[in-house]
Amino acid sequence: GDSVTQMEGPVTLSEEAFLTINCTYTATGYPSLFWYVQYPGEGLQLLLKATKADDKGSNKGFEATYRKETTSFHLEKGSVQVSDSAVYFCALSVTYSSASKIIFGSGTRLSIRP
Amino acid sequence: DAGVIQSPRHEVTEMGQEVTLRCKPISGHDYLFWYRQTMMRGLELLIYFNNNVPIDDSGMPEDRFSAKMPNASFSTLKIQPSEPRDSAVYFCASTVDRGVPEAFFGQGTRLTVV
């Protein structure tokens, strides 16, 4: 069935380091892809999205490119900050018959050291 | 719009008691999702509704869990009887069935069953 697999955490980096969080998916049809972020004590909020192959989503210095050939949507940021410490979720949305469904990966906890 | 509203934010109850979690989705949204988040299993989709009708409840762990959506602006998730292993953060999310279905999450209900 449809699923999302992302790299396990926790990931610990120093401030200003380069970040990559891997995400791959399995889906029938043409899903939309998302990255969500969850700060401590809060719900998930959308970070960026891409709706078709080769689209690049970007927000707050984060980027991810929809790669259909490798079924991937890796999250990257060139220089992380302490405030980026959070849990990051990769997700996809698919439509079954007449209903849509959003499927999340297991989440990757990111900690940034000053 | 105030966003997705969940209540209560925190709930502590004794094993065997009935627990009811509440959710008010964003006005105009067609879909409502209930998720459970734990350290061990990450974010699990329990059930989701489309236009107040349950579409997929395959994630509901067992018969002790039930969910209803009597109208477009209200949903409940009930656990009866509750058990310590039900302790988790429960999230409600809603989205529209137009364009790219970005999910909007509530703040969550942290449930502790002692």
Side-chain angles (χ1 to χ4, degrees):
Chain A
D2 300 309
S3 65
V4 175
T5 302
Q6 58 183 107
M7 66 188 287
E8 290 194 19
V11 174
T12 303
L13 297 172
S14 297
E15 204 165 21
E16 300 183 1
F18 183 85
L19 168 71
T20 300
I21 300 178
N22 290 338
C23 171
T24 57
Y25 67 90
T26 302
T28 53
Y30 302 97
S32 295
L33 301 175
F34 308 85
W35 276 100
Y36 284 78
V37 59
Q38 183 182 28
Y39 298 105
E42 299 183 9
L44 281 70
Q45 55 187 275
L46 182 68
L47 178 61
L48 53 83
K49 63 186 178 186
T51 59
K52 61 183 187 297
D54 300 325
D55 267 3
K56 178 185 282 188
S58 61
N59 186 24
K60 299 181 180 180
F62 291 89
E63 293 183 339
T65 301
Y66 190 142
R67 301 283 188 203
K68 190 167 183 289
E69 63 277 14
T70 54
T71 62
S72 65
F73 193 56
H74 303 323
L75 182 69
E76 295 182 339
K77 186 174 185 182
S79 177
V80 293
Q81 306 300 313
V82 173
S83 57
D84 295 326
S85 298
V87 182
Y88 292 81
F89 293 86
C90 186
L92 62 83
S93 71
V94 290
T95 299
Y96 302 99
S97 300
S98 59
S100 298
K101 184 175 180 178
I102 300 177
I103 298 168
F104 286 86
S106 56
T108 301
R109 183 175 298 277
L110 174 66
S111 295
I112 307 299
R113 294 188 298 255
Chain B
D1 200 313
V4 176
I5 299 173
Q6 292 186 245
S7 64
R9 288 294 309 275
H10 302 274
E11 175 81 35
V12 180
T13 190
E14 290 185 348
M15 183 174 62
Q17 296 297 305
E18 177 181 293
V19 175
T20 299
L21 311 182
R22 296 173 176 80
C23 175
K24 181 181 187 306
I26 293 174
S27 177
H29 279 194
D30 309 285
Y31 287 86
L32 185 140
F33 303 83
W34 282 102
Y35 292 91
R36 177 172 69 177
Q37 185 178 36
T38 61
M39 290 293 289
M40 291 296 292
R41 290 191 295 270
L43 194 65
E44 304 171 275
L45 176 63
L46 301 178
I47 184 172
Y48 74 104
F49 297 83
N50 178 216
N51 292 322
N52 313 337
V53 176
I55 301 299
D56 184 353
D57 65 355
S58 59
M60 296 284 263
E62 46 197 277
D63 291 346
R64 297 185 297 106
F65 286 69
S66 62
K68 294 182 180 179
M69 192 164 187
N71 57 62
S73 59
F74 184 66
S75 177
T76 60
L77 177 69
K78 185 177 293 186
I79 308 172
Q80 165 65 16
S82 58
E83 297 182 2
R85 60 193 168 119
D86 302 330
S87 298
V89 181
Y90 291 81
F91 287 103
C92 175
S94 69
T95 188
V96 297
D97 190 17
R98 287 188 299 278
V100 179
E102 171 192 344
F104 291 82
F105 280 75
Q107 298 272 52
T109 295
R110 181 174 295 278
L111 173 65
T112 303
V113 183
V114 297

